[in-house]
Amino acid sequence: MSDTAQDGPMLAADGTTLKQSLARSLRREKMRALLLIAPLLIFIFLSFVVPIVSMLFRSIENSILQDTLPETVVALENWDDQSGELPDEEVYAAFVRDMLVAVDAKTHTRLGTRLNYEETGMSSMFRRSGRQISRLDPVEDAPFKDKLIDIHDGWGDVNTWAVIKTHAVPYTNGYFLNAVDMQRTPEGAQAQPESKQILVKLFGRTLYMSLVITGFCILLGYPIAFLLANLPMRSANLLMILVLLPFWTSLLVRTSAWKVMLQQQGVINDTLVWLGLVDDAARLIIINNQIGTIVAMTHILLPFMILPMYSVMQTIPPTYVRAAKSLGATNWTAFWRVYFPQSIPGIGAGSILVFILAIGYYITPEIVGGTQGVFISNRIAYHISSSLNWGLAAALGTILLGAVLILYWAYDRIVGIDNVKLGG
Amino acid sequence: MKLSTSILAIAAASVAGMATAQEMTIVSWGGAYTESQKRAYHDPYSTNTGVTIINDDSAAEAVAKLRAMNEAGNVTWDVVDVVAADAIRLCDEGLALEINADEQLAPAPDGTPASEDFGDLIVSDCFIPQIVYSTTFGYRTDLVGDTPPTDVCAVFDTEAYPGMRSLEKRPINNMEWALICDGVAFEDVYDVLETEEGQEQALAKLDTIKDSVIWWSAGADTPQLLADGEVVMGSTYNGRLFSLIEEQNQPVAMLWDAQVFDLDGWIIPTGLSEERTQRALDYVYFATDTQRLADQAKYISYGPARASSAPLVGTHADLGIEMAPHMPTDPENSKRTFLYNYEFWADYRDDIDAKFQAWLSQ
């Protein structure tokens, strides 16, 4: 026994192996650390992760049909929506029984609203029919087929039942199809009619314009950050305040100020006309279009570009450039070959910040974007607050989130996320 | 010991009860409109009952917010001011309380029951009408030459009235105006608009002025654009134009032709405690009686929703001018009017909006 103890692993005072003992104490350390940050973790989980996930979940959740019309959905399974014939009495009877319950619980109009997203006219059909169906008796008034068609001729339309059958699934891809200008039909996924296609275009525009805005921010922000990092402390501080001042002004105020500047009777046009550069009858249109959005958003997002750039540039030792010059480099070569590569992490951090903020921008495009300068977020806002089609809004949001994650991943592969620095 | 505990408990309960009994949150649109409600309804109600009224200006997002509150099971609003179309949707969604007008609203002073006094304006079981407003056009008097427009079709006539116009960035109203200016008879507008071809016809008509339109999304936009001289004419709510013309004395006049009537009123959210519901009903009973509705017209140029209030409309409280001629419902102003077709737009709004936005982005 004693031999094995001497040859085996080292033992701690309590008789366990030293390795186990170390692991245990490390685990205890970790637990303690975890406990310390637990309040923050729980807070982030409850206030950030849970709401986002539950909102994203709405993009596929579709139990309303089965909840509201359980018997009808089962009865419709035996009906062939391609036959061109109306379902038989069994479906109508089941439908009346379901509706009696739904009207009592006042959920039939909610279902009407849901189905109206798919087939225009359903909303009023359910609202109008509800009241009359509630007067029927589920046993004595049978058969119902003709009675229902009397109440609203929509119930005599094969398409109505086909729509109900098509969407009677607890989880649907319908919202995602809608989000890319397609629709769920009895014949499978199909493109929306051309006159209703807009969302893919808006996604494209959002990405394209966000890139343009990020580009302008780099162009405008780099010299300012360079200046900030290389001026004497005193003037740099003053300049810093100038950068931050608009940052502290309300977003709405800044956007409205651009309206005053850019509109046709605005400051810029008035000045140009006064200088004789532009004819009074041909004032420039630089707002309520893409130019307006790009100008206003570049201005608003500029500090997000300048600040990370500045903090990275501050850490670049000036001796490097001096060394390059002493070895015979011109000003340009010294900047381009020595200084610029070291400032790239700042550009990377600023670009990611600006791009991700820009892609979800809503209020500025709404105010200065007119018709050509609005983003996908304006449609998301419409579906959240006006049409109440939260499923579609969630699908659009999920796609946007996915796009950002993919771009982030691509960025990591190409530039490397380790190359991003917010300072230090 | 036991006695003092129960006394404490009672005291605590009554303090808690008082705290809730004395406050209610009323949601409205903010600005001059909330101010008119404050002076006509809130202030006298607070004086009478001791209830403190908290104003919340979230009416524009009321439907979405109420839905979210309801799902979260914590409705913090007591009474909400919404347009009729939103009231219908809230009712459909089961988010607004159904009201029995004759039992829960005040009769007219002569005893006419509320349902008759409001008449057709009760467009939904949950909707308690308050005002009639209209969306109509205002034009710059100094930019239209010697022949000021009298017809809504002037909007589509860029030759006679060159310059920009402002229209709302949504299909509602614009589609109707486009059709009647494209020769569709007034009474046929919605029959035509139901069809694919009718929608295309309206968009084609709007296409003729597309390059001359600034699209607005907030009610304050058109008054500002008119004041800046950015547009020659533009649509907005009549009360906004009233304050632009009468309070700010801008060179702007009203073009009442083909104005679209719409309604605004109260709803009471579902999911409130019995006590809060009763208090909300009590407030609404008071705030929509004949005199109160007439009083609101002293502060803003929106017409009272009760027939019995119309004769009581007097002069503006601050300007001292006669208000009746500024009401959208005045016979002189309402020779040719639309009433917002709630049923139609509840069905077609998403469909036509998608087409409208697709057309806009072309």
Side-chain angles (χ1 to χ4, degrees):
Chain A
M1 275 305 267
S2 62
D3 281 345
T4 43
Q6 271 164 5
D7 298 340
M10 289 236 282
L11 291 182
D14 60 352
T16 52
T17 62
L18 196 58
K19 203 174 176 187
Q20 275 178 330
S21 172
L22 177 70
R24 193 184 309 140
S25 78
L26 278 180
R27 205 172 325 128
R28 210 175 298 138
E29 285 283 275
K30 260 187 208 154
M31 284 302 288
R32 201 175 299 148
L34 207 64
L35 270 179
L36 273 175
I37 59 161
L40 180 68
L41 268 185
I42 293 170
F43 176 75
I44 289 184
F45 182 75
L46 287 181
S47 66
F48 190 72
V49 179
V50 171
I52 287 185
V53 170
S54 81
M55 197 65 206
L56 296 185
F57 182 63
R58 285 169 195 271
S59 58
I60 49 167
E61 197 273 336
N62 188 43
S63 58
I64 182 166
L65 258 135
Q66 289 182 332
D67 290 350
T68 319
L69 305 174
E71 291 191 42
T72 315
V73 170
V74 173
L76 272 175
E77 275 169 18
N78 301 323
W79 172 66
D80 176 14
D81 51 20
Q82 303 296 320
S83 65
E85 279 172 36
L86 283 173
D88 49 23
E89 175 60 26
E90 186 203 344
V91 170
Y92 284 90
F95 180 72
V96 168
R97 287 196 296 277
D98 284 338
M99 278 293 273
L100 285 172
V101 178
V103 171
D104 239 18
K106 299 200 183 83
T107 50
H108 65 297
T109 44
R110 200 179 281 199
L111 178 63
T113 310
R114 163 71 187 95
L115 286 172
N116 202 64
Y117 299 139
E118 313 297 342
E119 183 69 25
T120 300
M122 288 282 202
S123 169
S124 66
M125 202 157 108
F126 273 87
R127 196 180 316 117
R128 275 191 227 164
S129 306
R131 204 161 288 162
Q132 297 182 53
I133 291 177
S134 68
R135 294 196 199 103
L136 296 176
D137 186 284
V139 181
E140 285 172 17
D141 285 321
F144 294 107
K145 192 165 178 172
D146 294 332
K147 289 204 179 78
L148 275 179
I149 295 171
D150 260 0
I151 287 174
H152 197 293
D153 47 16
W155 303 118
D157 185 350
V158 178
N159 190 36
T160 304
W161 299 101
V163 167
I164 293 179
K165 186 170 174 170
T166 309
H167 293 281
V169 285
Y171 298 102
T172 181
N173 58 359
Y175 292 125
F176 275 100
L177 289 174
N178 284 345
V180 292
D181 288 333
M182 295 174 76
Q183 53 187 342
R184 188 184 164 96
T185 67
E187 293 89 35
Q190 286 184 349
Q192 290 269 20
E194 206 154 306
S195 62
K196 287 173 79 170
Q197 292 184 6
I198 178 170
L199 298 170
V200 171
K201 191 177 186 175
L202 282 181
F203 271 119
R205 182 193 287 166
T206 306
L207 292 180
Y208 160 74
M209 285 183 60
S210 300
L211 278 177
V212 172
I213 289 162
T214 312
F216 275 114
C217 280
I218 296 175
L219 285 182
L220 293 174
Y222 196 89
I224 299 175
F226 184 81
L227 210 59
L228 271 172
N230 289 291
L231 279 178
M233 201 45 139
R234 188 176 243 207
S235 2
N237 278 345
L238 190 71
L239 197 60
M240 194 63 176
I241 289 177
L242 292 182
V243 171
L244 290 177
L245 204 58
F247 203 43
W248 294 330
T249 320
S250 148
L251 174 69
L252 273 177
V253 172
R254 276 182 286 167
T255 309
S256 307
W258 276 112
K259 235 172 146 169
V260 178
M261 293 286 289
L262 297 176
Q263 63 185 0
Q264 282 191 284
Q265 308 293 325
V267 178
I268 290 181
N269 264 311
D270 279 350
T271 314
L272 289 177
V273 169
W274 180 71
L275 289 173
L277 294 174
V278 166
D279 189 56
D280 196 17
R283 286 168 175 254
L284 303 175
I285 302 175
I286 42 182
I287 198 169
N288 297 321
N289 53 22
Q290 297 196 350
I291 301 175
T293 304
I294 290 173
V295 169
M297 280 182 61
T298 303
H299 169 237
I300 288 164
L301 295 174
L302 203 50
F304 292 99
M305 184 63 88
I306 294 176
L307 293 177
M309 277 183 173
Y310 166 63
S311 62
V312 167
M313 286 178 184
Q314 249 190 335
T315 63
I316 302 176
T319 43
Y320 288 6
V321 173
R322 258 186 271 144
K325 280 186 192 163
S326 74
L327 291 172
T330 61
N331 279 344
W332 172 250
T333 318
F335 167 76
W336 186 245
R337 300 281 298 277
V338 176
Y339 192 88
F340 183 75
Q342 297 185 79
S343 66
I344 282 182
I347 300 181
S351 301
I352 289 191
L353 266 181
V354 169
F355 183 79
I356 291 178
L357 283 173
I359 213 172
Y361 242 57
Y362 153 69
I363 194 73
T364 305
E366 182 70 28
I367 294 175
V368 298
T371 59
Q372 300 301 318
V374 293
F375 283 10
I376 191 71
S377 13
N378 298 78
R379 277 325 269 172
I380 298 181
Y382 169 80
H383 286 299
I384 288 277
S385 62
S386 289
S387 82
L388 285 194
N389 192 348
W390 287 8
L392 179 54
L396 291 169
T398 309
I399 293 178
L400 199 59
L401 184 63
V404 171
L405 290 179
I406 289 175
L407 286 168
Y408 184 80
W409 173 80
Y411 183 91
D412 186 31
R413 292 300 299 268
I414 298 166
V415 185
I417 212 67
D418 304 339
N419 261 334
V420 168
K421 266 194 208 154
L422 285 163
Chain B
M1 184 66 198
K2 212 170 180 190
L3 185 69
S4 63
T5 323
S6 48
I7 288 176
L8 265 178
I10 290 169
S14 60
V15 166
M18 272 162 62
T20 49
Q22 286 178 340
E23 272 183 10
M24 64 192 292
T25 303
I26 296 185
V27 179
S28 187
W29 300 88
Y33 186 66
T34 294
E35 188 58 27
S36 74
Q37 291 177 326
K38 189 173 167 301
R39 291 167 78 173
Y41 312 148
H42 302 351
D43 289 348
Y45 186 73
S46 293
T47 315
N48 290 350
T49 60
V51 173
T52 313
I53 289 173
I54 301 164
N55 288 296
D56 183 329
D57 300 339
S58 320
E61 304 96 47
V63 184
K65 283 196 173 173
L66 263 181
R67 195 196 215 187
M69 283 185 198
N70 199 280
E71 284 185 11
N74 181 21
V75 181
T76 57
W77 294 345
D78 295 282
V79 181
V80 188
D81 186 294
V82 289
V83 292
D86 284 345
I88 293 174
R89 285 189 307 151
L90 286 167
C91 212
D92 278 358
E93 293 264 322
L95 298 172
L97 200 67
E98 285 188 14
I99 300 288
N100 183 333
D102 288 343
E103 281 175 20
Q104 292 171 311
L105 300 176
D110 63 359
T112 314
S115 61
E116 275 175 47
D117 205 12
F118 285 114
D120 297 340
L121 303 191
I122 302 181
V123 293
S124 156
D125 295 335
C126 306
F127 182 63
I128 306 157
Q130 183 189 157
I131 55 148
V132 178
Y133 71 96
S134 83
T135 307
T136 187
F137 283 92
Y139 59 89
R140 283 282 295 223
T141 47
D142 54 342
L143 297 176
V144 291
D146 303 330
T147 50
T150 53
D151 187 320
V152 70
C153 296
V155 174
F156 293 90
D157 189 349
T158 44
E159 270 173 35
Y161 304 101
M164 304 294 277
R165 296 97 168 84
S166 62
L167 293 174
E168 190 171 2
K169 204 195 276 181
R170 63 172 195 176
I172 298 166
N173 300 346
N174 295 330
M175 301 293 267
E176 287 99 323
W177 286 323
L179 282 183
I180 55 171
C181 292
D182 204 33
V184 173
F186 230 72
E187 58 276 15
D188 299 337
V189 165
Y190 289 103
D191 292 335
V192 174
L193 208 50
E194 265 183 28
T195 61
E196 220 42 50
E197 299 77 41
Q199 294 158 13
E200 276 163 27
Q201 184 188 352
L203 288 178
K205 182 69 181 175
L206 284 168
D207 215 41
T208 60
I209 55 164
K210 196 176 178 185
D211 293 336
S212 316
V213 176
I214 294 176
W215 301 95
W216 61 267
S217 44
D221 287 347
T222 290
Q224 190 60 49
L225 290 167
L226 281 169
D228 290 349
E230 280 284 298
V231 296
V232 181
M233 55 184 84
S235 68
T236 188
Y237 314 127
N238 72 291
R240 301 272 188 174
L241 288 169
F242 171 82
S243 83
L244 187 70
I245 296 167
E246 298 296 337
E247 289 167 13
Q248 298 165 32
N249 294 312
Q250 296 289 329
V252 172
M254 308 279 293
L255 171 63
W256 289 105
D257 185 48
Q259 55 166 321
V260 184
F261 281 150
D262 198 348
L263 306 169
D264 197 272
W266 303 110
I267 62 102
I268 297 172
T270 50
L272 297 180
S273 67
E274 185 56 29
E275 185 197 351
R276 284 173 68 195
T277 306
Q278 284 310 321
R279 199 172 52 215
L281 283 167
D282 187 57
Y283 169 84
V284 164
Y285 186 94
F286 171 81
T288 59
D289 72 13
T290 301
Q291 185 59 47
R292 246 44 63 185
L293 288 186
D295 283 350
Q296 195 189 2
K298 283 183 199 163
Y299 309 106
I300 201 155
S301 65
Y302 294 129
R306 277 180 188 263
S308 63
S309 298
L312 302 176
V313 171
T315 56
H316 192 283
D318 304 324
L319 300 172
I321 51 174
E322 207 51 57
M323 287 304 276
H326 295 282
M327 292 293 161
T329 41
D330 187 73
E332 219 18 64
N333 301 335
S334 54
K335 287 176 189 150
R336 197 161 76 136
T337 61
F338 273 108
L339 179 60
Y340 183 116
N341 192 329
Y342 302 104
E343 188 123 285
F344 176 84
W345 282 113
D347 279 349
Y348 284 86
R349 142 188 199 135
D350 295 331
D351 181 44
I352 296 184
D353 191 76
K355 291 173 183 162
F356 183 79
Q357 301 296 340
W359 167 78
L360 270 185
S361 73
Q362 272 162 24

